[in-house]
């Protein structure tokens, strides 16, 4: 393998000095990856090597600790997996993708066994919280340690006892609320920022606890869980969920994740029409950044939901209006805005205690490749403006006469 970083002596030294690697000085890092890592992950060395060569597995340092991040799935190791080489090798697996059902019937009956637990699907961003050495870290979906999320998670929840007693468990949940730098959404019971836990998983294997075990452990440590909306038999589920999803939509909430009580069968997600419209509004406020990726899937969801609901002419018309308006109106607003000389941008609010918090967060955004500027700091809040460059540039070009 001819990877520069592995031939780089300082990085080799890094691994040699790593207490969990047990390398003697004549073994080079690739040997370690070949022999030890493939055993730990149960993935063949050649697959790991290939992924490293392709840049799918990346090397980085976390507070002086060597670490690996999986940018994409490698066999059954999910994207977002992070491995820290501390005294112990800590493997925090990526959060598994949740497939979507377009139809409730017959899909639920085919997919689940006898009972389905419907949890609320909260609209925020996915966070895994785990212990690395003696440090609590919060990882975002792709496996980045976000300084803001880490700080807020330990402020919002008292996690010490949980992790003292359960160092090998990972808390998976959604950071939600309006002062949320990634997905801002208002929930009346949450307000500016809150956390809701939906899974507890084991490090390395990624096995989830059953719903009952999860509820018990969250209750024991006083940690906040997502709401359970119902427990249904597979036969009654489609009708119940059809009704429930309408209520969820009316309340301006996102949807449901349907789960097997034992968490052996994979969960499925199902979302409200209003949530589809909201996502399209967002996407078409920045049409050249998100429009294409968002559109097809949301239209397909709307089509199947309308069909399954056997909607009448009036209901269909309402849905069609909502869909069309959520695409066209925000886009026209943005064209007007760019025409007035402004960039297509969104402002995110974060809670800060001291100036370093903002700096750390801005650095994190920069590392992620997000173009953002600090607009202002007012008391304990900072306003960060994220610029959507493609949308700004393309609209400017068309306004000046550029061809599509
Ligand atoms: P995916 O997670 O399927 O890759 P995605 O990143 O686009 O897709 P969503 O469409 O929002 O995410 O749906 C899945 C996400 O929903 C999960 O990753 C998790 O962050 C979030 N979520 C919110 N509530 C729950 C819940 N009760 N159970 C599981 N996940 C939940
Ligand atoms: Mg989401």
């Amino acid at each position: 393998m001819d990877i520069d970083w592995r031939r780089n002596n300082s990085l080799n030294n890094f691994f040699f000095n790593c207490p969990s690697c047990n390398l003697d000085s004549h073994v080079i890092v690739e040997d370690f990856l070949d022999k030890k890592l493939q055993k730990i992950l149960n993935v063949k060395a050649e697959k790991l090597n290939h992924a490293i060569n392709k840049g799918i597995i990346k090397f980085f340092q976390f507070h002086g600790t060597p670490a690996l991040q999986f940018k994409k799935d490698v066999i059954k190791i999910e994207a977002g997996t992070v491995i820290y080489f501390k005294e112990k090798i800590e493997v925090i697996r990526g959060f598994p993708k949740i497939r979507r059902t377009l139809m409730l019937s017959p899909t639920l009956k085919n997919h689940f066994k006898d009972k389905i637990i419907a949890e609320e699907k909260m609209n925020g961003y996915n966070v895994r919280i785990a212990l690395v050495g003696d440090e609590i870290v919060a990882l975002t979906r792709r496996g980045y340690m976000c300084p803001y999320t880490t700080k807020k998670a330990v402020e919002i929840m008292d996690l010490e006892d949980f992790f003292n007693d359960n160092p090998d468990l990972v808390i998976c949940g959604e950071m939600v609320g309006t002062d949320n730098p990634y997905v801002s959404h208002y929930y009346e019971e949450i307000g500016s920022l809150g956390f809701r836990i939906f899974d507890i998983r084991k490090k390395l294997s990624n096995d989830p606890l059953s719903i009952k075990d999860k509820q018990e452990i969250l209750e024991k440590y006083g940690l906040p869980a997502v709401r359970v909306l119902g427990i249904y038999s597979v036969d009654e589920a489609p009708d119940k969920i059809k009704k429930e999803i309408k209520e969820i939509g009316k309340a301006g909430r996102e949807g449901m994740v349907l789960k097997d009580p034992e968490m052996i069968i994979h969960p499925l997600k199902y979302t409200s029409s209003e949530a589809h419209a909201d996502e399209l509004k967002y996407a078409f406020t920045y049409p050249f950044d998100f429009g294409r990726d968002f559109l097809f899937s949301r239209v397909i969801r709307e089509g199947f939901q309308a069909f399954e609901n056997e909607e009448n002419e009036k209901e269909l018309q309402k849905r069609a209006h909502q869909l069309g308006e959520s695409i066209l109106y925000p886009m026209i607003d943005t064209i007007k805005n760019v025409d007035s000389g402004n960039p297509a941008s969104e402002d995110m609010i974060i809670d800060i205690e001291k100036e370093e918090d903002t700096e750390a967060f801005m650095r994190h955004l920069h590392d992620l490749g997000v173009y953002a500027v600090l607009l202002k700091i007012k008391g304990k809040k900072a306003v960060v403006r994220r610029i959507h460059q493609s949308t700004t540039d393309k609209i400017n070009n068309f306004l000046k006469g550029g061809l599509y």
Side-chain angles (χ1 to χ4, degrees), residues 121-124 174 254:
K121 182 178 195 298
M122 298 295 281
N123 184 14
E174 200 85 348
E254 188 184 12

Side-chain angles (χ1 to χ4, degrees), residues 95-100 119-127 141 173-174 197-199 214 226-227 254 256-257 259 267 269 271 279 298 301:
F95 189 77
K97 226 183 150 38
I98 300 180
R99 307 246 356 231
R100 175 180 295 280
E119 281 183 358
E120 173 159 16
K121 182 178 195 298
M122 298 295 281
N123 184 14
Y125 64 98
N126 183 297
V127 179
R141 193 70 207 268
E174 200 85 348
I197 298 168
F198 42 74
D199 278 4
K214 170 183 78 177
V226 290
R227 283 196 302 155
E254 188 184 12
M256 296 178 175
V257 180
K259 297 184 175 176
K269 56 191 180 192
T271 46
E279 289 171 356
R298 272 71 184 179
R301 295 176 206 172

Side-chain angles (χ1 to χ4, degrees), residues 27-78:
V27 181
I28 55 170
V29 172
E30 55 195 67
D31 261 11
F32 163 73
L33 291 173
D34 286 356
K35 292 186 181 127
K36 192 153 180 181
L37 201 62
Q38 74 161 337
K39 267 210 199 103
I40 295 171
L41 298 177
N42 198 15
V43 172
K44 286 215 169 76
E46 64 200 64
K47 298 280 181 199
L48 293 172
N49 293 337
H50 179 73
I52 289 166
N53 283 323
K54 289 261 168 204
I56 292 170
I57 301 178
K58 284 247 153 127
F59 174 90
F60 70 105
Q61 292 177 35
F62 173 70
H63 296 177
T65 302
L68 296 173
Q69 178 193 16
F70 286 55
K71 300 262 179 190
K72 291 187 186 154
D73 291 358
V74 178
I75 314 291
K76 56 191 181 312
I77 306 296
E78 306 82 357

Side-chain angles (χ1 to χ4, degrees), residues 175-193:
M175 190 66 92
V176 278
T178 47
D179 291 1
N180 179 326
Y182 304 111
V183 182
S184 170
H185 185 94
Y186 176 72
Y187 284 104
E188 57 181 356
E189 76 278 22
I190 284 167
S192 62
L193 203 65

Side-chain angles (χ1 to χ4, degrees), residues 6-7 33 48 87 97 102 104 106 171 196 258 296-297 302 319 340 354 358:
R6 297 221 250 148
R7 306 238 176 260
L33 291 173
L48 293 172
E87 288 72 21
K97 226 183 150 38
L102 292 175
L104 296 166
I171 291 178
R196 291 293 179 268
L258 308 169
F296 187 69
S297 159
E302 285 295 278
R319 195 185 280 270
S340 322
K354 36 187 186 351
T358 326

